[in-house]
């Protein structure tokens, strides 16, 4: 739905803005984690979807939620980078599954 699509654009903007920093610190990854969690919580609170589309959204959403949580506890910037790449790909893949 349009509300979910708007929230995905917000998540994509967060990821795009993060990508600008060529050498993010652990603090940057932890800040990113918080920003993503805020965006995801907003999306969840505003979700009005039901039925199979809602279920499919949850399958897409679970790895993003896990990644946002994992970023907060990343051991180092290499791990943070790997986790971010996974989240970023998942966000990009949204439009492969939803209109």
């Amino acid at each position: 739905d349009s509300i979910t699509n708007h929230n995905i654009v917000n998540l994509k903007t967060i990821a795009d803005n993060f990508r600008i920093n060529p050498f993010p610190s652990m603090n940057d990854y932890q800040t990113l984690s918080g920003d993503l969690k805020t965006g995801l919580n907003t999306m969840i609170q505003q979700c009005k979807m039901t039925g199979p589309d809602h279920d499919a959204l949850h399958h897409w959403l679970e790895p993003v939620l896990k990644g946002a949580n994992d970023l907060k506890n990343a051991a180092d910037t290499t791990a943070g980078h790997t986790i971010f790449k996974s989240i970023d790909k998942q966000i990009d893949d949204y439009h492969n599954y939803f209109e």
Side-chain angles (χ1 to χ4, degrees):
D1 64 4
S2 64
I3 293 170
T4 302
N5 288 335
H6 172 76
N7 283 301
I8 294 300
V9 168
N10 182 49
L11 293 175
K12 181 68 177 150
T13 299
I14 292 168
D16 289 347
N17 288 338
F18 182 80
R19 200 177 305 105
I20 293 169
N21 183 350
F23 303 106
S25 68
M26 285 307 300
N27 188 50
D28 295 329
Y29 283 108
Q30 291 175 348
T31 298
L32 173 63
S33 171
D35 292 346
L36 289 169
K37 286 180 186 180
T38 298
L40 290 164
N41 286 337
T42 298
M43 185 170 81
I44 291 166
Q45 290 170 355
Q46 294 178 351
C47 184
K48 305 279 189 242
M49 295 173 67
T50 59
D53 289 341
H54 184 259
D55 295 340
L57 180 65
H58 276 270
H59 288 292
W60 172 87
L61 183 63
E62 288 171 11
V64 180
L65 284 168
K66 181 180 182 322
N69 287 325
D70 290 349
L71 269 179
K72 180 133 180 92
N73 301 312
D76 54 36
T77 57
T78 301
H81 177 73
T82 300
I83 295 165
F84 172 68
K85 281 178 34 179
S86 176
I87 293 168
D88 196 31
K89 181 182 181 326
Q90 189 72 8
I91 292 170
D92 282 343
D93 284 348
Y94 172 83
H95 291 292
N96 292 335
Y97 303 107
F98 304 98
E99 295 179 12

